[in-house]
Amino acid sequence: MKLFGPLYQRALAWSRHPKAPALLGGLSFAEAIVFPVMPEVMLAPMCLAQPKHAFRFANISLLFSLLGAVVGYLLGHYAYELVKPALAALGWLGRIDAQVEELRGIVAHSPWRAFWLLVLAGFTPIPLKIFTWASGVVGVPMLPFLAAMLVGRGKRVHLLALVIRLGGERAERALHRWIEHLGWASLLLLAGLAGWLLLHGHAA
């Protein structure tokens, strides 16, 4: 958090900008490819300021996250070797390579097994870019990839919009307080599902 504090503050400032929806779309697009700040940082205060438009904001974020995910996928598929030095400098290379190996083992048995892994991935605090790049490197078929991104990220932004709309400032404070616990719980679910898929894949 301390490393990216200035970026978080910038995203919060963007949420109050007159062109906030366009900035939210840009942030959602960039986050799926390379940017380290999650779009929820902008989405939450925007929903709080205009609760009637909460789901419209969530749809904007989802649409541009999907577009960014496709770009990240294509970069992973066609330009991974070229950008490896840059990814290493950013500290992402090890995480992407680990995700590549995990996905490769799953996709070898059934592309739609990767769907469930990616659905949970879209609902965890793990940066979306790790999964979009890894999916492109492995060559996860586009249909299950896009379906997983739609369901995983869609659940996340629409749930946030619903919580903020129903609970207002109190819900936003609770979200900030419990986000770490929720994130780790999601990670445990993700690890359990990945282990189950790999176990059954080897058994098959």
Side-chain angles (χ1 to χ4, degrees):
M1 189 73 170
K2 292 180 181 178
L3 289 175
F4 302 116
L7 294 175
Y8 275 85
Q9 292 304 316
R10 178 63 60 85
L12 287 171
W14 286 345
S15 71
R16 297 185 289 272
H17 195 278
K19 295 184 178 179
L23 293 170
L24 174 64
L27 175 60
S28 300
F29 179 82
E31 187 269 339
I33 306 168
V34 67
F35 201 63
V37 177
M38 295 185 296
E40 287 88 340
V41 174
M42 272 193 73
L43 180 60
M46 286 175 65
C47 293
L48 188 62
Q50 301 183 60
K52 291 182 179 180
H53 298 297
F55 291 103
R56 182 169 74 87
F57 296 149
N59 287 333
I60 290 171
S61 181
L62 175 59
L63 172 61
F64 282 91
S65 286
L66 288 174
L67 293 174
V70 171
V71 173
Y73 179 100
L74 294 175
L75 288 171
H77 196 68
Y78 294 108
Y80 186 54
E81 293 299 326
L82 291 175
V83 299
K84 264 189 174 182
L87 294 174
L90 290 168
W92 299 343
L93 188 59
R95 297 175 73 181
I96 292 175
D97 283 341
Q99 193 59 49
V100 164
E101 291 304 312
E102 188 173 11
L103 277 172
R104 187 167 281 144
I106 293 171
V107 171
H109 292 90
S110 170
W112 282 98
R113 290 190 178 187
F115 168 82
W116 295 107
L117 177 64
L118 292 171
V119 163
L120 277 178
F123 203 50
T124 67
I126 299 174
L128 183 62
K129 65 194 72 62
I130 300 298
F131 295 96
T132 59
W133 282 80
S135 296
V137 174
V138 171
V140 174
M142 187 59 75
L143 182 58
F145 171 74
L146 284 177
M149 293 295 106
L150 178 65
V151 174
R153 180 51 66 96
K155 282 195 308 181
R156 192 160 126 178
V157 295
H158 284 98
L159 179 60
L160 175 63
L162 177 64
V163 168
I164 297 297
R165 181 164 181 175
L166 293 177
E169 292 184 13
R170 187 175 178 183
E172 188 188 28
R173 288 196 300 270
L175 180 67
H176 283 295
R177 180 180 179 185
W178 293 101
I179 190 66
E180 201 68 31
H181 300 80
L182 293 171
W184 281 109
S186 298
L187 283 177
L188 289 174
L189 286 172
L190 177 63
L193 178 62
W196 183 85
L197 289 170
L198 289 171
L199 180 64
H200 283 72
H202 289 308

